[in-house]
Amino acid sequence: MERIERIREFDGWLERYTHDSAVCNCRMTFSVYLPPQAEAAAVPTVYFLSGLTCTDDNVRVKAGAQRYAAELGLALVMPDTSPRGEQVADAPDRYDLGQGAGFYVNAAREPWAAHYRMFDYVNLELPALVERELPVIPGRRSITGHSMGGHGALISALKNPGLYRSVSAFAPICNPVESGWGRGCFAAYLGDDPASWKDWDATELIRAGAEPMPLFIDQGTDDEFLLEGHLRPEALSQACKERGIPLILRMQPDYDHSYHFIATFIGEHLAYHARALTARS
């Protein structure tokens, strides 16, 4: 684990690291914001998973999250969205497949399976590394994300009961097996059997009996990808209703899919996670 950047922000430190990933079989990059409280004691952690075409840089520059993390005493861990490098498979003519579009699944089909194991990276390898090397409280984690990363946050929490204290999402891809984005990537990464894709779909996991967990989602009503049918929050809402799973789904009037939307509500999401992370277990 090599630190390649360190910037003072809100009396804490924004840091960037690279490391050799055994899971993804390549060099990976992630950013961490350590609040001022981390200089005196270990702090809880919120993971933020970014969306299609992004790296770890987008959220740390555009979301305005560090200010709230400093006030709340939360570390922010911001992974990349896929493995990268010359040896890593890619689809350079597509923005929604390959590097920048890992979809937070464990790929089963070549050439993707050699490196694209983002689910295990985000939920196993990266937390173990962060909790070993940085001043964060082991096991005291929550998770959120945007778009493809919102999908990643939801499936990470639903497929790992007890791993996260809370989960939220901004404009997540809620039902990727019925989304053009999801179908295109899942066929490439997972194979031609749509039944196998359901294990990586939040709506389908809930329908199949995933352990109940409160979900908190913000969605803009003027989001172009909502209007094009890529996000499908209504499917997730119906599945939660059928199972009696608590869902806060806030349809925010006039907001789009951009980081302007995320920056508006990131403070409320971090406060939501702070309450869960500081509650007595």
Side-chain angles (χ1 to χ4, degrees):
M1 179 167 153
E2 177 186 1
R3 189 172 69 200
I4 59 173
E5 189 175 40
R6 193 173 197 233
I7 302 170
R8 193 71 159 163
E9 276 191 336
F10 300 105
D11 293 327
W13 292 100
L14 178 64
E15 302 182 339
R16 203 175 199 185
Y17 291 91
T18 65
H19 70 104
D20 290 324
S21 168
V23 169
C24 294
N25 193 28
C26 65
R27 195 80 174 164
M28 295 293 288
T29 301
F30 68 96
S31 290
V32 178
Y33 177 70
L34 295 172
Q37 294 88 337
E39 295 184 9
V43 296
T45 308
V46 175
Y47 287 76
F48 188 102
L49 306 186
S50 292
L52 287 167
T53 76
C54 293
T55 69
D56 61 302
D57 199 39
N58 295 75
V59 61
R60 70 184 201 146
V61 171
K62 298 179 180 179
Q66 290 92 303
R67 172 186 174 183
Y68 300 104
E71 294 172 356
L72 295 165
L74 300 174
L76 297 177
V77 176
M78 297 159 277
D80 203 346
T81 54
S82 77
R84 296 182 192 267
E86 292 183 2
Q87 79 279 23
V88 176
D90 195 13
D93 58 330
R94 290 181 58 177
Y95 75 93
D96 59 347
L97 182 68
Q99 295 187 34
F103 250 85
Y104 303 101
V105 302
N106 289 335
R109 172 180 267 186
E110 297 298 344
W112 313 102
H115 300 283
Y116 284 75
R117 303 192 62 81
M118 288 299 293
F119 185 81
D120 283 353
Y121 176 73
V122 165
N123 294 291
L124 299 176
E125 187 177 39
L126 184 58
L129 180 67
V130 167
E131 292 175 6
R132 185 174 69 244
E133 301 291 339
L134 296 174
V136 301
I137 302 171
R140 193 68 66 95
R141 314 178 198 102
S142 291
I143 192 165
T144 186
H146 172 230
S147 192
M148 178 186 73
H151 144 78
L154 293 174
I155 65 169
S156 291
L158 291 169
K159 288 170 71 69
N160 293 297
L163 189 63
Y164 299 100
R165 295 290 185 94
S166 54
V167 59
S168 73
F170 299 86
I173 305 172
C174 295
N175 192 196
V177 301
E178 298 295 340
S179 160
W181 280 342
R183 288 194 298 267
C185 282
F186 283 9
Y189 293 147
L190 303 173
D192 295 328
D193 180 10
S196 69
W197 305 349
K198 294 182 179 182
D199 288 340
W200 305 98
D201 179 305
T203 297
E204 298 298 337
L205 287 169
I206 290 170
R207 287 173 177 161
E211 185 172 311
M213 182 178 189
L215 309 178
F216 174 28
I217 294 171
D218 272 319
Q219 172 64 63
T221 61
D222 282 6
D223 186 323
E224 62 271 36
F225 302 116
L226 172 71
L227 303 177
E228 291 172 7
H230 287 296
L231 306 180
R232 293 180 54 79
E234 70 282 358
L236 181 69
S237 178
Q238 182 60 34
C240 288
K241 182 178 180 180
E242 292 171 358
R243 288 280 320 283
I245 292 178
L247 168 65
I248 299 171
L249 173 59
R250 306 193 306 186
M251 301 300 295
Q252 302 290 2
D254 304 324
Y255 282 90
D256 60 14
H257 199 72
S258 72
Y259 270 87
H260 300 289
F261 160 61
I262 297 171
T264 302
F265 301 105
I266 188 68
E268 294 177 59
H269 281 246
L270 291 180
Y272 174 81
H273 293 304
R275 289 191 292 272
L277 289 163
T278 56
R280 291 189 177 184
S281 57

